[in-house]
Amino acid sequence: MTDPCALPPTPYYAVIFANRRAGPDDGYGAMAEKMATFAAEQDGFLGIDSARDADGFGITVSYWRDEAAIRAWKENAAHQVAQKLGHTRWYARFTLRVARVERQYDGPATAD
Amino acid sequence: MTDPCALPPTPYYAVIFANRRAGPDDGYGAMAEKMATFAAEQDGFLGIDSARDADGFGITVSYWRDEAAIRAWKENAAHQVAQKLGHTRWYARFTLRVARVERQYDGPATAD
């Protein structure tokens, strides 16, 4: 079973992507898996957490060393194709936030 | 159907709570709803996005005006009871990050 990904040392960056899927799968699941694999190979990638509920609302948070790593991934050619399909076909609505992680803890029982 | 919550003006703060549920509901759903209602009444609360997949992995991101608002909510008496039950009963594992939102956009079709 999936656990939340491990906490890297602060500071680092989080990309918070919240979205509502539009209509049928239409290649989405396969592309999402491929993008998660590609992202994990990028320089500066630190981890990813993702959940989607039964009615199509999802949140994916990816973690990155710095803004440069985020921008490089945004400009990745395969990712650009996926982004375009996301805009035109897969997402009825999304928000994307880039945030600097300043403090954190985990549990049960441990903290930093 | 749920949409991602609206983007407040930057900068502001996000609390990224990723977790894996342990065992049966055991009062969790009712408490989670109550906490979302209470949080929304707090000074400095800006919004919340939440998704949980079928096998019990969930992400809740709440948005706050500043660190002071986050700390006040963490110290809220009812919330402290819920946190304690979360640690001892409901969560097999969780991570919590506090991050400063620096830039953002939404779509399809709009951006800032």
Side-chain angles (χ1 to χ4, degrees):
Chain A
M1 194 188 261
T2 314
D3 263 335
C5 73
L7 298 173
T10 57
Y12 60 94
Y13 279 81
V15 176
I16 306 163
F17 183 59
N19 60 80
R20 180 163 61 81
R21 287 267 292 109
D25 184 86
D26 200 13
Y28 177 77
M31 180 67 96
E33 266 186 47
K34 195 152 92 175
M35 285 307 113
T37 304
F38 283 2
E41 294 166 355
Q42 300 298 302
D43 181 50
F45 175 86
L46 300 177
I48 191 166
D49 287 319
S50 196
R52 183 173 304 282
D53 63 27
D55 70 353
F57 185 79
I59 300 175
T60 297
V61 191
S62 56
Y63 307 103
W64 302 87
R65 186 185 55 217
D66 51 29
E67 273 271 21
I70 294 169
R71 289 183 194 278
W73 171 236
K74 184 170 172 61
E75 287 158 21
N76 172 280
H79 189 203
Q80 292 233 332
V81 172
Q83 286 173 68
K84 182 146 189 180
L85 285 166
H87 288 220
T88 57
R89 184 190 296 179
W90 289 321
Y91 297 121
R93 180 78 187 143
F94 70 81
T95 55
L96 186 148
R97 294 165 169 91
V98 177
R100 184 176 186 273
V101 180
E102 298 184 343
R103 59 186 181 87
Q104 58 191 7
Y105 56 93
D106 57 11
T110 68
D112 84 285
Chain B
M1 195 190 261
T2 314
D3 263 334
C5 74
L7 298 173
T10 56
Y12 58 94
Y13 279 81
V15 176
I16 305 163
F17 182 60
N19 59 80
R20 180 164 60 83
R21 287 267 291 108
D25 185 87
D26 199 14
Y28 177 77
M31 180 67 95
E33 266 185 46
K34 195 153 91 172
M35 285 306 114
T37 305
F38 282 1
E41 293 166 355
Q42 300 297 303
D43 182 49
F45 174 87
L46 300 177
I48 191 166
D49 287 319
S50 196
R52 183 172 305 280
D53 62 27
D55 69 353
F57 184 79
I59 301 175
T60 296
V61 191
S62 56
Y63 307 104
W64 301 87
R65 184 183 57 217
D66 50 31
E67 274 270 22
I70 293 170
R71 288 182 194 278
W73 171 234
K74 183 170 172 61
E75 287 158 20
N76 173 281
H79 188 202
Q80 292 234 332
V81 172
Q83 287 174 67
K84 180 146 193 181
L85 286 166
H87 289 219
T88 57
R89 185 188 297 179
W90 290 320
Y91 298 121
R93 181 76 187 146
F94 70 80
T95 56
L96 185 147
R97 294 165 169 92
V98 177
R100 184 176 185 272
V101 180
E102 298 184 342
R103 61 186 181 86
Q104 58 191 9
Y105 56 93
D106 58 9
T110 68
D112 81 286

